[in-house]
Amino acid sequence: TLYMKKDKIIHLEGDKEHPVNRGGICAKATLLLSANADGVRLDAVRYRKPGSSEWETLSWERALDMIADRIKSTRDSTFVQEDGGVVVNRVESIAGIAGSSLTNEEAYLFNKLFRILGAVQVGTESLVQGGGTARALSGSCGLPSQTNPWTDIRNAGAVLVLGSNLSRSMPVAMRHIIDARENGTRIVVVDPAVTETGSLSDLHCRIRPGTDGAFLLGLVRHALSANTVNREYLVEYTDAACILRADFDYDLASGKFSGYDASKKRYSAASWEYERDERGNPRRDEELR
């Protein structure tokens, strides 16, 4: 809820009757007051022509017309109607990325607009079915979003917080984790730094920076060795049974995976692959050996 006085925001607070936030507000919302009161927030469109060092102010109508003209000219010049005799009607030169400030409804409209244009690189932070994020989560987790509401966390036996200080970044979520702790849930925090969230944990694992991968692989190995996993789910609904290439490895000394190019300071995709059969399909070990 926003409280206004003479067209200025003077106070904001959450809805105490809301079942999830119960009156709390997220970190982004707490910045709303300063974002609107610091005097440097832009309230008009600023445009710099190619090669120019000067900015000019445009009306919204002019800016929207320019954006529309550029989208149309790009689409017209790069539209692909057929690929190998198959009608595809796609545009690969336009990508759309929507931010977390959009509502689910706005993200849906954003997704729909870019699909109508024929764009194939489209992603939103709202998990619209068919978006890039949703497809990636479906392949790795079996579902395109979280599997239960925040209010259900209090029923968990344990909560693992990895590399995040929820007390600062997601205080609304942290409320539910504190409720869970009071309900007997064990809280485990994995973070090199001492944080507010770590101070509320039952176990704070202060790993070395950059060793998140090694830590997670260790947890995976332990879970498989102790047979404390849902094997049917892993085999049938994730890529856990796919066999990685033999040259894919993790160097504990350097804290890096194989394929790291020190000269370019980035990873090469060469070893980040599955072993494949003669048809190109990933080889699988459904016994998870």
Side-chain angles (χ1 to χ4, degrees):
T1 303
L2 290 176
Y3 293 87
M4 311 284 291
K5 185 176 182 179
K6 295 182 179 179
D7 296 328
K8 291 186 178 182
I9 302 173
I10 59 173
H11 179 68
L12 73 161
E13 62 184 37
D15 181 358
K16 293 181 173 58
E17 297 183 359
H18 194 284
V20 177
N21 63 47
R22 294 179 296 174
I25 53 178
C26 71
K28 292 179 182 178
T30 60
L31 297 174
L32 190 59
L33 283 174
S34 60
N36 283 272
D38 58 13
V40 297
R41 184 179 177 89
L42 293 177
D43 57 6
V45 180
R46 303 284 285 169
Y47 173 67
R48 188 175 67 182
K49 295 179 179 178
S52 173
S53 60
E54 302 295 329
W55 292 87
E56 58 181 287
T57 301
L58 299 181
S59 67
W60 278 104
E61 291 77 10
R62 172 60 177 152
L64 290 173
D65 286 344
M66 291 172 65
I67 292 172
D69 289 342
R70 283 160 171 75
I71 290 176
K72 186 178 187 307
S73 62
T74 301
R75 185 179 185 273
D76 289 347
S77 62
T78 61
F79 188 77
V80 179
Q81 187 170 10
E82 291 189 2
D83 185 0
V86 178
V87 176
V88 292
N89 290 335
R90 68 179 180 229
V91 176
E92 297 179 351
S93 58
I94 298 177
I97 304 175
S100 60
S101 60
L102 299 185
T103 65
N104 282 343
E105 292 78 13
E106 290 168 334
Y108 169 78
L109 291 175
F110 174 92
N111 203 68
K112 191 170 185 177
L113 169 63
F114 278 81
R115 295 302 181 197
I116 290 173
L117 292 173
V120 292
Q121 290 90 232
V122 183
T124 70
E125 291 194 26
S126 295
L127 296 179
V128 179
Q129 183 64 36
T133 307
R135 288 198 299 274
L137 284 171
S138 296
S140 55
C141 300
L143 289 169
S145 62
Q146 65 188 59
T147 57
N148 55 327
W150 283 110
T151 51
D152 198 34
I153 286 181
R154 70 189 319 273
N155 300 314
V159 172
L160 173 65
V161 181
L162 178 65
S164 176
N165 185 13
L166 292 176
S167 296
R168 283 183 176 270
S169 62
M170 298 185 69
V172 174
M174 194 62 198
R175 286 190 174 202
H176 296 283
I177 292 179
I178 292 174
D179 286 349
R181 189 171 186 268
E182 294 175 351
N183 199 40
T185 300
R186 285 179 58 81
I187 309 301
V188 179
V189 172
V190 181
D191 198 315
V194 177
T195 65
E196 294 89 342
T197 306
S199 68
L200 296 172
S201 66
D202 297 288
L203 176 62
H204 183 188
C205 301
R206 296 188 64 188
I207 62 173
R208 193 176 76 187
T211 60
D212 306 61
F215 181 84
L216 289 171
L217 288 172
L219 288 181
V220 171
R221 181 180 178 84
H222 173 75
L224 291 173
S225 300
N227 197 27
T228 56
V229 297
N230 184 336
R231 286 182 171 266
E232 180 183 359
Y233 176 79
L234 287 177
V235 172
E236 299 295 335
Y237 300 105
T238 77
D239 61 355
C242 297
I243 302 173
L244 290 172
R245 279 177 41 158
D247 55 348
F248 178 84
D249 200 4
Y250 182 82
D251 182 6
L252 188 60
S254 65
K256 295 181 174 64
F257 288 99
S258 58
Y260 183 75
D261 187 336
S263 63
K264 298 180 180 179
K265 295 184 178 181
R266 64 179 179 83
Y267 283 95
S268 165
S271 62
W272 294 50
E273 251 290 0
Y274 299 123
E275 296 283 356
R276 297 186 179 273
D277 59 22
E278 60 279 359
R279 300 179 62 183
N281 298 318
R283 296 186 184 277
R284 294 169 54 84
D285 172 21
E286 299 191 355
E287 296 298 323
L288 301 181
R289 292 165 296 185

